């Protein structure tokens, strides 16, 4: 997945810092999106994945206009309902911007949504 850093992606705009460079939360969101795509071959028709753990080192700043390519590869064979992906972000000049691992759990989509709805109703919360 390729992305161009815009003003909306900066630490200033996202509230995670006060410099106009790629915000770590945005970078992690891009990495998670890559794991969602990479998980598809491991899923049945009624399954999806949910994020369960993120371990990422953001190593290099990227300014507005910079290009980032994000990849996600299975780090190991799936273990039960757990999928672990090695994630990596590289800038337009080939330098590693970030690396790490993201874990996702395989869930039955409908059951997951039903449990989520039940939990909200029990608390009396609207979201």
């Amino acid at each position: 997945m390729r992305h161009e850093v815009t003003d909306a992606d900066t630490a200033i705009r996202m509230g995670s810092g006060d410099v106009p460079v790629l915000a770590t939360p945005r970078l992690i969101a891009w990495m998670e999106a890559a794991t969602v795509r990479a998980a598809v071959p491991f899923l049945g028709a009624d399954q999806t994945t949910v994020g369960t753990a993120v371990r990422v080192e953001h190593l290099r700043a990227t300014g507005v206009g910079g290009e980032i390519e994000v990849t996600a590869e299975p780090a190991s064979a799936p273990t039960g309902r757990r999928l672990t992906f090695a994630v990596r972000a590289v800038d337009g000049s080939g330098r590693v911007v970030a690396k790490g691992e993201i874990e996702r759990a395989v869930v039955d989509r409908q059951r997951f949504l039903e449990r989520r709805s039940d939990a909200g109703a029990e608390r009396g919360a609207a979201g």
Side-chain angles (χ1 to χ4, degrees), residues 61-127:
T62 307
V64 172
E67 298 275 333
I68 300 291
E69 182 175 356
V70 176
T71 59
E73 300 289 333
S76 59
T79 310
R81 293 188 161 283
R82 296 278 176 204
L83 302 173
T84 302
F85 295 94
V87 291
R88 185 174 154 112
V90 176
D91 68 16
S93 64
R95 294 177 297 188
V96 175
V97 170
K99 62 182 179 175
E101 284 188 342
I102 294 179
E103 292 180 9
R104 303 191 68 78
V106 177
V107 298
D108 176 272
R109 181 180 283 106
Q110 191 59 39
R111 260 189 289 169
F112 179 82
L113 291 173
E114 287 169 3
R115 278 187 285 175
R116 181 63 214 142
S117 295
D118 291 346
E122 288 172 11
R123 290 192 317 264

Side-chain angles (χ1 to χ4, degrees), residues 19-36:
V19 289
V21 297
L22 177 60
T24 301
R26 176 73 79 214
L27 178 59
I28 291 172
W30 290 345
M31 290 175 145
E32 282 201 284
T35 66
V36 169

